[in-house]
Amino acid sequence: MKVAVVSSCLLGEFCRYDGKTKEDNRVKEFLKDYKVIPFCPEAPLFGIPRERIDIIQGRVITSQTKKDVTKLIEEWTKKFIQTLPKKVDIIILKSKSPSCGLSSTPIWNENKEKVLRYGDGIAAGVFKQYFKDVLMVDENSLNT
Ligand code: SF4
């Protein structure tokens, strides 16, 4: 059976910072013949609900307490990747997220007044290092 790693909030888990989900029925329908492995670094690291996080000049910073949590997310994602089967067929990640976004996450300037560019979330960046040959999409670019 084909294997998909998928952002948990797209699957209907209530794991977003505000305790909500981003369930996506199109993604779920696409996955009906896949073995699905859910992925969410933020909920186990920071709990639900939790502070928002943002990418400020390439670092992930908590919005109120201003902690740099970049390394935590990177390390958690690397450990998660070690638990995956050898063959992964597709990775589907949530757009715009500071962790999961693929080329769609706002990268802010120092005071969060201006978006400098749109890039990858921190976990998505780690996935790209490890899965160079695996199809990686977000829910908006998934061709069903
Ligand atoms: S976007 Fe990623 S980190 Fe955020 S709730 Fe969804 S799965 Fe978790």
Side-chain angles (χ1 to χ4, degrees):
M1 196 174 203
K2 289 189 285 185
V3 173
V5 176
V6 187
S7 288
S8 303
C9 55
L10 293 173
L11 298 169
E13 286 188 31
F14 291 80
C15 53
R16 303 246 311 157
Y17 75 95
D18 56 4
K20 294 185 179 163
T21 180
K22 281 285 177 182
E23 185 170 22
D24 189 308
N25 288 328
R26 218 170 55 92
V27 170
K28 288 173 75 176
E29 175 65 20
F30 173 85
L31 290 169
K32 60 182 188 308
D33 298 323
Y34 281 78
K35 173 181 160 57
V36 176
I37 302 175
F39 168 73
C40 177
E42 291 181 32
L45 280 171
F46 311 123
I48 308 167
R50 57 185 172 274
E51 278 183 72
R52 276 192 80 99
I53 54 176
D54 297 294
I55 302 194
I56 311 278
Q57 293 182 320
R59 308 295 299 175
V60 189
I61 309 292
T62 56
S63 63
Q64 286 145 35
T65 51
K66 308 291 181 204
K67 281 190 217 136
D68 184 334
V69 293
T70 315
K71 191 112 190 127
L72 280 175
I73 297 173
E74 281 174 350
E75 294 303 319
W76 194 95
T77 304
K78 284 179 189 168
K79 281 194 192 132
F80 172 85
I81 287 171
Q82 302 310 319
T83 70
L84 292 175
K86 275 212 172 74
K87 188 173 168 300
V88 170
D89 297 280
I90 188 167
I91 298 170
I92 306 175
L93 296 173
K94 172 73 187 73
S95 63
K96 299 180 189 164
S97 153
S99 294
C100 294
L102 282 169
S103 311
S104 59
T105 303
I107 315 292
W108 295 92
N109 72 342
E110 195 177 351
N111 301 319
K112 211 190 155 192
E113 295 150 335
K114 194 171 103 182
V115 175
L116 300 173
R117 60 189 171 85
Y118 291 87
D120 293 330
I122 293 299
V126 176
F127 273 117
K128 280 188 175 174
Q129 289 169 27
Y130 283 78
F131 292 100
K132 291 194 170 72
D133 300 325
V134 176
L135 178 61
M136 212 174 293
V137 295
D138 64 24
E139 74 282 16
N140 299 320
S141 53
L142 180 68
N143 289 319
T144 56

